[in-house]
Structures are given as structure tokens and as C-alpha cells.
């Protein structure tokens, strides 16, 4: 009977060993799957970080472009004001208004330059300088 008992213990130990081997195989399989998933997630995170960097770079470029656009818009507005001033001085219908009175009004508004006073109103340079000094004492003689 001792023999049967030893065979039973050996058989139980063998079954336990087989169960342990099966459990170890399953744990290894699960570990491999987890490792594979972790690699996939890491690669995905790296792609997302690269895309984020590209988007940030594109936004910075867009910001610079918008700044340049704003500067050009301000320049265009100044040019339009200058063109409007010149247009008003050229198209004034009343000859006396076109003359000295108009130059005086534009000078007082700060909307005319020394060169415009000379070219558009027929003033001498010294007359234009005097008119600008009277109406814009801080501006001196603006060159246009």
C-alpha cells in the first residue's frame, strides 16, 4: 500500500507540475501580448507627438504670416489716406479752396507733407515750411 501511496503522490505532483507549466505558458503569452500592446502604444504616442510638433510649427508660421499681413494692412491704410489727401487736393472744385486755404486746412489737420504743399498747391518751399511750422510746431518740416 505504501507503493500506491507513493504513486498517487507522484501522480499528483506530476499533475501539479503540468498545471504549473500551463499557467506559466499562459502568463508568458499574456506578457508578450502586453509587451506588444505597450510597443504599439509607444509608437502611437511618438506619432502623435510628431504631429503635435508639426501643428505647433505650422501655427507659429501662421502667426508670423498674420503679423506680416497686419503690418501690410496698416501700410495700405496709410497709403490710402495719403492718396485720399492728394485726391482731395487735386479735385477741389473751388480755385480759392484749392489754393492757400485748402493747403492751410490740410496742414492744420496734419494730412499734408512739405513736398505735397510744394507740388500740389504751388507754394514755395519756404512758404510750405512756414505753413507746417505754424500748424504743426512739433513736426518741423516733414519730408514726403
Amino acid at each position: 500500500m505504501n507503493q500506491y501511496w507513493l504513486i498517487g503522490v507522484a501522480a499528483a505532483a506530476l499533475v501539479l507540475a503540468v498545471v504549473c507549466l500551463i499557467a506559466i505558458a499562459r502568463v508568458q503569452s499574456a506578457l508578450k501580448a502586453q509587451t506588444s500592446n505597450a510597443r504599439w502604444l509607444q509608437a502611437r504616442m511618438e506619432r502623435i507627438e510628431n504631429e503635435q510638433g508639426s501643428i505647433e510649427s505650422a501655427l507659429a508660421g501662421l502667426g508670423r504670416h498674420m503679423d506680416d499681413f497686419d503690418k501690410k494692412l496698416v501700410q495700405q491704410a496709410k497709403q490710402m489716406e495719403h492718396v485720399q489727401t492728394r485726391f482731395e487736393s487735386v479735385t477741389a472744385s473751388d480755385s480759392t479752396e484749392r489754393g492757400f486755404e485748402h493747403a492751410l486746412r490740410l496742414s492744420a489737420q496734419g494730412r499734408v507733407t512739405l513736398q505735397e504743399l510744394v507740388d500740389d498747391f504751388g507754394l514755395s518751399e519756404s512758404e510750405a515750411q512756414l505753413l507746417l511750422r505754424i500748424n504743426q510746431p512739433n513736426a518741423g518740416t516733414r519730408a514726403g
Side-chain angles (χ1 to χ4, degrees):
M1 183 137 187
N2 269 341
Q3 264 182 336
Y4 292 119
W5 183 79
L6 279 175
I7 292 174
V9 169
L14 183 61
V15 168
L16 183 61
V18 169
V19 169
C20 285
L21 287 175
I22 291 172
I24 289 172
R26 284 190 175 179
V27 168
Q28 283 180 332
S29 176
L31 184 60
K32 283 182 184 179
Q34 290 296 331
T35 302
S36 175
N37 287 340
R39 282 189 206 131
W40 180 85
L41 287 173
Q42 182 65 31
R44 184 74 177 136
M45 286 296 295
E46 288 173 2
R47 273 188 261 136
I48 289 171
E49 288 172 356
N50 288 338
E51 289 175 6
Q52 180 184 1
S54 297
I55 290 170
E56 288 172 353
S57 177
L59 286 174
L62 180 62
R64 286 189 300 272
H65 180 72
M66 292 300 292
D67 289 343
D68 291 344
F69 183 76
D70 286 344
K71 288 177 186 175
K72 289 178 183 177
L73 191 60
V74 168
Q75 288 174 344
Q76 290 295 322
K78 288 179 182 177
Q79 288 177 349
M80 284 297 294
E81 185 177 331
H82 177 74
V83 167
Q84 182 180 2
T85 301
R86 296 215 46 185
F87 179 75
E88 288 173 1
S89 68
V90 170
T91 60
S93 59
D94 189 314
S95 63
T96 59
E97 177 69 12
R98 175 164 162 62
F100 187 75
E101 290 177 25
H102 189 64
L104 181 62
R105 185 168 45 88
L106 290 177
S107 174
Q109 294 172 353
R111 295 175 54 196
V112 68
T113 64
L114 175 78
Q115 195 60 45
E116 289 171 337
L117 289 172
V118 172
D119 293 344
D120 296 342
F121 297 100
L123 299 178
S124 70
E125 190 169 321
S126 60
E127 290 171 327
Q129 287 175 348
L130 179 60
L131 190 60
L132 288 175
R133 283 187 190 140
I134 290 170
N135 289 300
Q136 301 170 15
N138 295 334
T141 58
R142 291 183 350 180

